[in-house]
Coordinates of all heavy atoms in Angstrom, one line a residue:
M1 N 0.8 -1.2 0.0 CA 0.0 0.0 0.0 C 0.9 1.2 0.0 O 1.6 1.5 0.9 CB -0.9 0.0 1.2 CG -1.9 1.0 1.3 SD -3.1 0.5 2.5 CE -3.6 2.1 3.0
D2 N 0.8 2.0 -1.1 CA 1.7 3.2 -1.2 C 0.8 4.4 -0.9 O -0.2 4.6 -1.4 CB 2.2 3.2 -2.7 CG 3.2 4.3 -2.8 OD1 3.8 4.8 -1.8 OD2 3.5 4.6 -4.0
I3 N 1.3 5.2 0.0 CA 0.6 6.4 0.5 C 0.4 7.4 -0.7 O -0.7 8.0 -0.8 CB 1.3 7.1 1.7 CG1 1.2 6.1 2.9 CG2 0.7 8.4 2.0 CD1 1.8 6.6 4.1
K4 N 1.4 7.6 -1.5 CA 1.4 8.6 -2.6 C 0.3 8.1 -3.6 O -0.4 9.0 -4.2 CB 2.7 8.7 -3.3 CG 3.7 9.6 -2.4 CD 4.9 9.8 -3.2 CE 5.8 10.7 -2.4 NZ 7.1 11.0 -3.2
K5 N 0.2 6.8 -3.8 CA -0.8 6.3 -4.8 C -2.2 6.5 -4.3 O -3.1 6.9 -5.0 CB -0.5 4.8 -5.0 CG -0.6 4.4 -6.4 CD -0.5 2.9 -6.5 CE 0.5 2.6 -7.6 NZ 0.7 1.2 -7.8
D6 N -2.4 6.2 -3.0 CA -3.7 6.4 -2.4 C -4.2 7.8 -2.3 O -5.4 8.1 -2.4 CB -3.8 5.7 -1.0 CG -3.5 4.2 -1.1 OD1 -3.8 3.6 -2.2 OD2 -3.1 3.6 -0.1
F7 N -3.3 8.7 -2.0 CA -3.6 10.1 -1.7 C -3.1 11.0 -2.8 O -2.7 12.2 -2.5 CB -3.2 10.5 -0.3 CG -3.8 9.8 0.8 CD1 -3.2 8.8 1.4 CD2 -5.1 10.1 1.1 CE1 -3.8 8.1 2.5 CE2 -5.8 9.4 2.1 CZ -5.1 8.4 2.8
Q8 N -2.9 10.5 -4.0 CA -2.3 11.3 -5.1 C -3.1 12.5 -5.4 O -2.6 13.6 -5.7 CB -2.3 10.4 -6.4 CG -1.5 11.1 -7.5 CD -1.3 10.1 -8.7 OE1 -1.9 9.0 -8.7 NE2 -0.6 10.6 -9.7
F9 N -4.4 12.5 -5.3 CA -5.3 13.7 -5.6 C -4.9 14.8 -4.6 O -4.8 15.9 -5.0 CB -6.7 13.3 -5.4 CG -7.7 14.5 -5.6 CD1 -7.9 15.0 -6.8 CD2 -8.3 15.0 -4.4 CE1 -8.8 16.1 -6.9 CE2 -9.1 16.1 -4.6 CZ -9.4 16.6 -5.8
Y10 N -4.7 14.5 -3.3 CA -4.4 15.5 -2.3 C -3.0 16.1 -2.6 O -2.8 17.3 -2.4 CB -4.5 15.0 -0.9 CG -5.9 14.5 -0.6 CD1 -6.2 13.2 -0.5 CD2 -6.9 15.5 -0.4 CE1 -7.5 12.8 -0.2 CE2 -8.2 15.1 -0.1 CZ -8.5 13.7 0.0 OH -9.8 13.3 0.3
F11 N -2.1 15.3 -3.0 CA -0.8 15.8 -3.2 C -0.7 16.7 -4.5 O 0.0 17.7 -4.5 CB 0.2 14.7 -3.4 CG 0.6 14.0 -2.1 CD1 0.3 12.7 -2.0 CD2 1.1 14.7 -1.1 CE1 0.6 12.0 -0.8 CE2 1.4 14.1 0.1 CZ 1.2 12.7 0.3
E12 N -1.5 16.4 -5.5 CA -1.5 17.2 -6.7 C -2.3 18.5 -6.6 O -1.8 19.5 -7.1 CB -2.1 16.4 -7.9 CG -1.3 15.3 -8.3 CD -2.0 14.4 -9.4 OE1 -3.1 14.7 -9.7 OE2 -1.3 13.4 -9.8
T13 N -3.4 18.6 -5.9 CA -4.1 19.8 -5.8 C -3.5 20.8 -4.7 O -3.9 21.9 -4.7 CB -5.6 19.5 -5.4 OG1 -5.6 18.8 -4.1 CG2 -6.3 18.7 -6.4
G14 N -2.7 20.3 -3.9 CA -2.1 21.2 -2.9 C -1.3 22.3 -3.5 O -1.3 23.4 -3.0
S15 N -0.6 22.1 -4.6 CA 0.2 23.1 -5.2 C -0.7 24.2 -5.8 O -0.3 25.4 -5.8 CB 1.1 22.5 -6.3 OG 0.3 22.0 -7.3
Q16 N -1.8 23.9 -6.3 CA -2.7 25.0 -6.8 C -3.2 25.9 -5.7 O -3.3 27.1 -5.9 CB -3.9 24.3 -7.6 CG -3.5 23.6 -8.8 CD -4.7 22.8 -9.4 OE1 -5.7 22.7 -8.8 NE2 -4.5 22.2 -10.5
D17 N -3.5 25.3 -4.6 CA -3.9 26.1 -3.5 C -2.8 27.0 -3.0 O -3.0 28.1 -2.5 CB -4.5 25.3 -2.3 CG -5.7 24.6 -2.7 OD1 -6.5 25.0 -3.6 OD2 -6.0 23.5 -2.1
F18 N -1.6 26.5 -3.0 CA -0.4 27.2 -2.6 C -0.2 28.5 -3.4 O 0.1 29.6 -2.9 CB 0.8 26.4 -2.7 CG 2.1 27.1 -2.3 CD1 2.3 27.4 -1.0 CD2 3.0 27.4 -3.3 CE1 3.5 28.1 -0.7 CE2 4.1 28.1 -3.0 CZ 4.4 28.4 -1.7
Y19 N -0.4 28.4 -4.7 CA -0.3 29.6 -5.6 C -1.3 30.6 -5.3 O -1.0 31.8 -5.3 CB -0.3 29.2 -7.1 CG 0.9 28.4 -7.6 CD1 0.8 27.2 -8.1 CD2 2.2 29.0 -7.5 CE1 1.9 26.5 -8.5 CE2 3.3 28.3 -7.9 CZ 3.2 27.1 -8.4 OH 4.3 26.4 -8.8
M20 N -2.5 30.2 -5.0 CA -3.6 31.2 -4.7 C -3.2 31.9 -3.4 O -3.3 33.1 -3.3 CB -4.9 30.5 -4.6 CG -6.0 31.5 -4.3 SD -7.6 30.7 -4.0 CE -7.4 30.5 -2.2
M21 N -2.7 31.1 -2.4 CA -2.4 31.7 -1.1 C -1.2 32.6 -1.2 O -1.1 33.7 -0.6 CB -2.1 30.6 -0.1 CG -3.3 29.7 0.2 SD -4.3 30.5 1.4 CE -3.4 30.2 2.9
E22 N -0.2 32.3 -2.1 CA 1.0 33.0 -2.2 C 0.8 34.3 -3.1 O 1.3 35.4 -2.7 CB 2.1 32.2 -2.9 CG 3.4 32.9 -2.9 CD 4.5 32.0 -3.5 OE1 4.2 30.8 -3.8 OE2 5.6 32.5 -3.7
Y23 N 0.1 34.2 -4.1 CA 0.0 35.4 -5.1 C -1.3 36.2 -5.0 O -1.3 37.3 -5.3 CB 0.2 34.9 -6.5 CG 1.5 34.3 -6.7 CD1 1.7 32.9 -7.0 CD2 2.7 35.1 -6.7 CE1 2.9 32.4 -7.2 CE2 3.9 34.5 -6.9 CZ 4.0 33.2 -7.1 OH 5.3 32.7 -7.3
L24 N -2.4 35.6 -4.5 CA -3.7 36.3 -4.5 C -4.0 36.8 -3.1 O -4.5 38.0 -3.0 CB -4.8 35.3 -4.9 CG -5.9 35.8 -5.8 CD1 -5.3 36.5 -7.0 CD2 -6.8 34.7 -6.2
L25 N -3.7 36.1 -2.1 CA -4.1 36.5 -0.8 C -3.4 37.8 -0.2 O -4.0 38.7 0.3 CB -4.0 35.3 0.2 CG -4.8 35.4 1.5 CD1 -6.2 35.5 1.2 CD2 -4.5 34.1 2.3
P26 N -2.1 37.9 -0.4 CA -1.4 39.1 0.1 C -1.9 40.4 -0.5 O -2.1 41.4 0.3 CB 0.1 38.9 -0.2 CG 0.2 37.4 -0.2 CD -1.1 36.9 -0.8
P27 N -2.1 40.5 -1.8 CA -2.7 41.8 -2.3 C -4.1 42.1 -1.8 O -4.4 43.2 -1.5 CB -2.7 41.6 -3.8 CG -1.7 40.5 -4.1 CD -1.7 39.6 -2.9
I28 N -4.9 41.0 -1.6 CA -6.2 41.2 -1.1 C -6.2 41.8 0.3 O -6.9 42.7 0.7 CB -7.1 39.9 -1.2 CG1 -7.4 39.6 -2.7 CG2 -8.4 40.1 -0.4 CD1 -8.0 38.3 -2.9
I29 N -5.3 41.2 1.1 CA -5.1 41.6 2.5 C -4.6 43.0 2.6 O -5.1 43.8 3.4 CB -4.2 40.6 3.3 CG1 -5.0 39.3 3.5 CG2 -3.8 41.2 4.6 CD1 -4.1 38.2 4.1
L30 N -3.6 43.3 1.7 CA -3.1 44.7 1.7 C -4.1 45.7 1.3 O -4.3 46.8 1.9 CB -1.9 44.7 0.7 CG -1.2 46.1 0.5 CD1 -0.5 46.4 1.8 CD2 -0.2 46.0 -0.6
F31 N -4.9 45.4 0.3 CA -6.0 46.3 -0.2 C -7.0 46.5 1.0 O -7.4 47.7 1.2 CB -6.7 45.7 -1.4 CG -7.8 46.5 -1.9 CD1 -7.6 47.7 -2.6 CD2 -9.1 46.1 -1.8 CE1 -8.6 48.5 -3.1 CE2 -10.2 46.8 -2.3 CZ -9.9 48.0 -2.9
L32 N -7.4 45.5 1.6 CA -8.4 45.6 2.7 C -7.8 46.4 3.9 O -8.5 47.2 4.5 CB -8.9 44.2 3.2 CG -9.7 43.5 2.2 CD1 -10.1 42.1 2.7 CD2 -11.0 44.2 1.9
G33 N -6.5 46.2 4.1 CA -5.8 47.0 5.2 C -5.8 48.5 4.9 O -6.0 49.3 5.7
I34 N -5.5 48.8 3.6 CA -5.5 50.2 3.2 C -6.9 50.8 3.3 O -7.0 52.0 3.8 CB -5.0 50.3 1.7 CG1 -3.5 50.0 1.7 CG2 -5.2 51.7 1.2 CD1 -2.9 49.9 0.3
I35 N -7.9 50.1 3.0 CA -9.3 50.6 3.1 C -9.6 50.8 4.6 O -10.2 51.9 5.0 CB -10.3 49.7 2.4 CG1 -10.2 49.7 0.9 CG2 -11.7 50.0 2.9 CD1 -11.0 48.7 0.2
L36 N -9.3 49.9 5.4 CA -9.5 50.0 6.9 C -8.8 51.2 7.4 O -9.4 52.0 8.2 CB -9.1 48.7 7.6 CG -9.3 48.7 9.1 CD1 -10.8 48.7 9.3 CD2 -8.7 47.4 9.7
F37 N -7.5 51.4 7.1 CA -6.8 52.6 7.5 C -7.4 53.9 7.1 O -7.5 54.8 7.8 CB -5.3 52.5 7.0 CG -4.4 53.6 7.4 CD1 -4.0 53.6 8.8 CD2 -4.0 54.5 6.5 CE1 -3.1 54.6 9.2 CE2 -3.2 55.5 7.0 CZ -2.7 55.6 8.3
Y38 N -7.8 54.0 5.8 CA -8.5 55.1 5.3 C -9.8 55.5 6.0 O -10.0 56.6 6.4 CB -8.8 54.9 3.8 CG -9.6 56.0 3.2 CD1 -9.1 57.3 2.9 CD2 -11.0 55.8 2.9 CE1 -9.9 58.3 2.3 CE2 -11.8 56.8 2.4 CZ -11.2 58.0 2.1 OH -12.0 59.0 1.5
V39 N -10.6 54.5 6.3 CA -11.8 54.7 7.0 C -11.6 55.2 8.4 O -12.2 56.1 8.9 CB -12.7 53.4 7.0 CG1 -13.9 53.5 8.0 CG2 -13.2 53.1 5.6
F40 N -10.6 54.6 9.1 CA -10.2 55.0 10.4 C -9.7 56.5 10.5 O -10.2 57.3 11.3 CB -9.1 54.1 11.0 CG -8.6 54.5 12.3 CD1 -9.4 54.3 13.5 CD2 -7.4 55.1 12.4 CE1 -8.9 54.7 14.7 CE2 -6.9 55.5 13.7 CZ -7.7 55.3 14.8
I41 N -8.9 56.9 9.6 CA -8.3 58.2 9.5 C -9.5 59.2 9.2 O -9.6 60.3 9.8 CB -7.2 58.3 8.5 CG1 -6.0 57.5 9.0 CG2 -6.8 59.8 8.3 CD1 -5.4 58.0 10.3
K42 N -10.3 58.8 8.2 CA -11.4 59.7 7.8 C -12.4 60.0 9.0 O -12.8 61.1 9.3 CB -12.2 59.1 6.7 CG -13.3 59.9 6.1 CD -13.9 59.3 4.9 CE -15.1 60.1 4.4 NZ -15.8 59.4 3.3
K43 N -12.7 58.9 9.8 CA -13.6 59.1 10.9 C -12.9 60.0 12.0 O -13.5 60.8 12.6 CB -13.9 57.7 11.5 CG -15.0 57.0 10.8 CD -15.4 55.8 11.5 CE -16.5 55.0 10.8 NZ -16.9 53.8 11.5
R44 N -11.6 59.8 12.2 CA -10.9 60.5 13.2 C -10.9 62.0 12.8 O -11.1 62.9 13.7 CB -9.4 60.0 13.3 CG -8.5 60.7 14.1 CD -8.5 60.1 15.5 NE -7.7 60.9 16.3 CZ -7.0 60.4 17.4 NH1 -7.1 59.2 17.6 NH2 -6.3 61.2 18.1
I45 N -10.6 62.3 11.6 CA -10.6 63.7 11.1 C -11.9 64.4 11.2 O -12.1 65.5 11.7 CB -10.0 63.8 9.7 CG1 -8.6 63.5 9.6 CG2 -10.3 65.2 9.1 CD1 -8.0 63.4 8.3
L46 N -13.0 63.7 10.8 CA -14.3 64.2 10.9 C -14.8 64.4 12.3 O -15.4 65.4 12.6 CB -15.3 63.3 10.2 CG -15.2 63.3 8.6 CD1 -16.2 62.2 8.1 CD2 -15.5 64.6 8.1
R47 N -14.4 63.5 13.2 CA -14.7 63.7 14.6 C -14.0 64.9 15.2 O -14.6 65.7 16.0 CB -14.4 62.4 15.4 CG -14.7 62.5 16.9 CD -14.4 61.2 17.6 NE -13.2 60.7 17.1 CZ -12.5 59.8 17.6 NH1 -12.9 59.2 18.7 NH2 -11.3 59.3 17.1
D48 N -12.7 65.1 14.9 CA -12.0 66.2 15.4 C -12.6 67.5 14.9 O -12.8 68.5 15.7 CB -10.5 66.2 15.0 CG -9.8 65.1 15.7 OD1 -10.3 64.6 16.7 OD2 -8.7 64.7 15.3
E49 N -13.0 67.6 13.6 CA -13.6 68.8 13.1 C -15.0 69.1 13.8 O -15.3 70.2 14.0 CB -13.8 68.7 11.6 CG -12.5 68.8 10.8 CD -12.7 68.6 9.3 OE1 -13.9 68.4 8.9 OE2 -11.7 68.6 8.6
K50 N -15.7 68.0 14.0 CA -17.0 68.2 14.7 C -16.8 68.8 16.1 O -17.5 69.7 16.5 CB -17.8 66.9 14.7 CG -19.1 67.0 15.3 CD -19.8 65.6 15.2 CE -21.2 65.7 15.8 NZ -21.9 64.4 15.9
E51 N -15.8 68.2 16.8 CA -15.6 68.7 18.2 C -15.1 70.2 18.1 O -15.5 71.0 19.0 CB -14.5 67.8 18.8 CG -15.0 66.5 19.2 CD -13.9 65.6 19.7 OE1 -12.7 66.0 19.8 OE2 -14.2 64.4 20.1
D52 N -14.3 70.5 17.2 CA -13.8 71.9 17.0 C -15.0 72.9 16.7 O -15.1 74.0 17.3 CB -12.8 72.1 16.0 CG -11.5 71.4 16.4 OD1 -11.3 71.1 17.6 OD2 -10.6 71.2 15.5
L53 N -15.9 72.4 15.9 CA -17.1 73.3 15.5 C -18.0 73.5 16.8 O -18.5 74.6 17.0 CB -17.9 72.7 14.4 CG -17.2 72.8 13.0 CD1 -18.0 72.0 12.0 CD2 -17.1 74.2 12.6
E54 N -18.1 72.4 17.5 CA -18.9 72.5 18.8 C -18.3 73.5 19.8 O -19.0 74.3 20.4 CB -19.1 71.1 19.4 CG -20.1 70.2 18.6 CD -20.2 68.8 19.2 OE1 -19.5 68.5 20.2 OE2 -20.9 68.0 18.6
S55 N -17.0 73.4 19.9 CA -16.2 74.3 20.8 C -16.4 75.8 20.3 O -16.6 76.7 21.1 CB -14.8 73.9 20.8 OG -14.6 72.7 21.3
L56 N -16.3 76.0 19.0 CA -16.5 77.3 18.5 C -17.9 77.9 18.7 O -18.1 79.0 19.1 CB -16.2 77.4 17.0 CG -14.7 77.3 16.6 CD1 -14.5 77.2 15.1 CD2 -13.9 78.5 17.2
K57 N -18.9 77.0 18.6 CA -20.3 77.4 18.9 C -20.4 77.8 20.4 O -21.1 78.8 20.7 CB -21.2 76.3 18.5 CG -21.5 76.1 17.0 CD -22.4 75.0 16.8 CE -22.6 74.7 15.3 NZ -23.5 73.6 15.0
L58 N -19.9 77.0 21.2 CA -19.9 77.3 22.7 C -19.2 78.6 23.0 O -19.7 79.4 23.8 CB -19.3 76.1 23.5 CG -20.1 74.8 23.5 CD1 -19.3 73.8 24.3 CD2 -21.5 75.1 24.2
L59 N -18.1 78.8 22.4 CA -17.4 80.1 22.6 C -18.2 81.3 22.1 O -18.3 82.3 22.8 CB -16.0 80.1 21.8 CG -14.8 79.5 22.5 CD1 -13.6 79.5 21.6 CD2 -14.5 80.3 23.8
Q60 N -18.8 81.1 20.9 CA -19.7 82.2 20.4 C -20.8 82.5 21.4 O -21.2 83.6 21.6 CB -20.2 81.8 19.0 CG -21.0 82.9 18.3 CD -20.1 84.1 17.9 OE1 -19.0 83.9 17.6 NE2 -20.7 85.3 18.0
E61 N -21.4 81.4 21.9 CA -22.5 81.6 22.9 C -22.1 82.3 24.2 O -22.7 83.2 24.7 CB -23.2 80.3 23.3 CG -24.0 79.7 22.1 CD -24.5 78.3 22.5 OE1 -24.3 77.8 23.6 OE2 -25.0 77.6 21.6
L62 N -20.9 82.0 24.6 CA -20.3 82.7 25.8 C -20.0 84.1 25.5 O -20.2 85.0 26.4 CB -19.0 82.0 26.3 CG -19.2 80.6 26.9 CD1 -17.8 80.0 27.2 CD2 -20.0 80.7 28.2
L63 N -19.5 84.4 24.3 CA -19.3 85.8 23.9 C -20.6 86.6 23.9 O -20.7 87.7 24.4 CB -18.6 85.9 22.6 CG -18.3 87.3 22.0 CD1 -17.3 88.0 22.9 CD2 -17.7 87.2 20.6
E64 N -21.6 86.0 23.3 CA -22.9 86.7 23.1 C -23.6 86.9 24.5 O -24.2 87.9 24.7 CB -23.8 85.9 22.2 CG -23.4 85.9 20.8 CD -24.2 85.0 19.9 OE1 -25.1 84.3 20.4 OE2 -23.9 85.0 18.7
A65 N -23.3 86.0 25.4 CA -23.9 86.1 26.8 C -23.1 87.1 27.6 O -23.6 87.5 28.7 CB -24.0 84.7 27.5
G66 N -21.9 87.4 27.2 CA -21.1 88.4 27.9 C -20.3 87.7 29.0 O -19.7 88.4 29.9
T67 N -20.1 86.4 29.0 CA -19.3 85.7 30.0 C -17.8 85.9 29.7 O -17.1 86.0 30.7 CB -19.7 84.2 29.9 OG1 -21.1 84.1 30.0 CG2 -19.0 83.5 31.1
I68 N -17.4 86.0 28.5 CA -16.0 86.2 28.2 C -15.9 87.5 27.3 O -16.9 88.0 26.7 CB -15.4 85.0 27.4 CG1 -16.1 84.8 26.1 CG2 -15.4 83.8 28.2 CD1 -15.5 83.7 25.2
T69 N -14.7 88.1 27.3 CA -14.5 89.3 26.6 C -14.1 88.9 25.1 O -13.8 87.8 24.8 CB -13.3 90.1 27.2 OG1 -12.1 89.4 27.1 CG2 -13.7 90.5 28.6
E70 N -14.0 90.0 24.3 CA -13.7 89.8 22.9 C -12.3 89.3 22.8 O -12.0 88.4 21.9 CB -13.8 91.1 22.2 CG -13.6 91.1 20.7 CD -14.8 90.4 19.9 OE1 -15.9 90.5 20.4 OE2 -14.5 89.8 18.9
N71 N -11.3 89.8 23.6 CA -9.9 89.3 23.5 C -9.8 87.8 23.9 O -9.1 87.1 23.2 CB -9.0 90.2 24.4 CG -8.8 91.5 23.9 OD1 -9.0 91.8 22.7 ND2 -8.5 92.5 24.7
E72 N -10.5 87.4 24.9 CA -10.5 86.0 25.3 C -11.1 85.1 24.2 O -10.6 84.0 24.0 CB -11.3 85.8 26.6 CG -10.6 86.4 27.9 CD -11.5 86.3 29.1 OE1 -12.8 86.2 28.9 OE2 -11.0 86.4 30.2
F73 N -12.1 85.6 23.6 CA -12.8 84.9 22.5 C -11.8 84.7 21.4 O -11.6 83.6 20.9 CB -14.0 85.6 22.1 CG -14.6 85.0 20.8 CD1 -15.4 83.8 20.9 CD2 -14.5 85.6 19.6 CE1 -15.9 83.3 19.8 CE2 -15.0 85.0 18.4 CZ -15.8 83.9 18.5
K74 N -11.1 85.7 21.0 CA -10.1 85.6 19.9 C -9.0 84.7 20.2 O -8.6 83.9 19.4 CB -9.6 87.0 19.5 CG -10.6 87.9 18.8 CD -10.0 89.3 18.5 CE -11.1 90.1 17.8 NZ -10.6 91.5 17.5
K75 N -8.5 84.8 21.4 CA -7.4 83.9 21.8 C -7.8 82.4 21.8 O -7.1 81.6 21.2 CB -6.9 84.2 23.2 CG -6.1 85.5 23.3 CD -5.7 85.7 24.8 CE -5.1 87.1 25.0 NZ -4.8 87.4 26.4
K76 N -9.0 82.1 22.3 CA -9.4 80.7 22.3 C -9.8 80.3 20.9 O -9.6 79.1 20.6 CB -10.6 80.6 23.3 CG -10.2 80.8 24.7 CD -11.4 80.6 25.7 CE -10.9 80.9 27.1 NZ -11.9 80.7 28.1
K77 N -10.3 81.2 20.1 CA -10.7 80.8 18.8 C -9.4 80.5 18.0 O -9.4 79.5 17.2 CB -11.5 81.9 18.1 CG -11.9 81.7 16.7 CD -12.6 82.8 16.1 CE -12.9 82.6 14.6 NZ -13.5 83.7 14.0
N78 N -8.4 81.3 18.1 CA -7.1 81.1 17.4 C -6.5 79.7 17.9 O -5.9 79.0 17.1 CB -6.1 82.2 17.7 CG -6.5 83.5 16.9 OD1 -7.3 83.4 15.9 ND2 -6.1 84.6 17.4
R79 N -6.6 79.4 19.1 CA -6.1 78.1 19.7 C -6.8 76.9 19.0 O -6.2 75.9 18.7 CB -6.2 78.1 21.2 CG -5.3 77.0 21.8 CD -5.3 77.0 23.3 NE -5.2 78.4 23.9 CZ -5.8 78.8 25.0 NH1 -6.7 78.0 25.6 NH2 -5.7 80.0 25.4
I80 N -8.1 77.1 18.9 CA -8.9 76.0 18.3 C -8.6 75.9 16.8 O -8.4 74.8 16.3 CB -10.4 76.2 18.6 CG1 -10.7 76.0 20.0 CG2 -11.2 75.2 17.7 CD1 -12.1 76.4 20.4
T81 N -8.6 77.0 16.1 CA -8.5 76.9 14.6 C -7.0 76.7 14.2 O -6.8 76.4 13.1 CB -9.0 78.3 14.0 OG1 -8.3 79.4 14.6 CG2 -10.5 78.4 14.2
S82 N -6.1 76.9 15.1 CA -4.7 76.6 14.7 C -4.4 75.1 14.5 O -3.4 74.8 13.9 CB -3.7 77.2 15.8 OG -3.9 76.5 17.0
K83 N -5.3 74.3 15.0 CA -5.1 72.8 14.7 C -5.3 72.5 13.3 O -4.7 71.6 12.7 CB -6.2 72.0 15.5 CG -6.0 72.0 17.0 CD -7.1 71.1 17.6 CE -7.3 71.5 19.0 NZ -8.4 70.7 19.6
W84 N -6.1 73.2 12.6 CA -6.4 73.0 11.2 C -5.2 73.4 10.4 O -4.8 73.1 9.4 CB -7.6 73.7 10.7 CG -8.9 73.3 11.4 CD1 -9.1 72.1 12.1 CD2 -10.2 73.9 11.4 NE1 -10.4 72.1 12.5 CE2 -11.1 73.2 12.1 CE3 -10.6 75.1 10.8 CZ2 -12.4 73.5 12.3 CZ3 -11.9 75.5 11.0 CH2 -12.8 74.7 11.8

């Protein structure tokens, strides 16, 4: 009883799967990694911009209510907008 004769099908098809794993899988994984990185960065930037806009709105409300002075408003506004 020869093992190669009995399991010849498994030995022959293994090389075809190897080529798919070697040449097809790494580019697919790389592509998906790039997309994941892009989505993460995009969400991070949009979240930061949203927080900055909310901070500017709150500063504007404080200025209109008379809680802070015009100079304080300008300093804080410059600090927030200097991130961009």
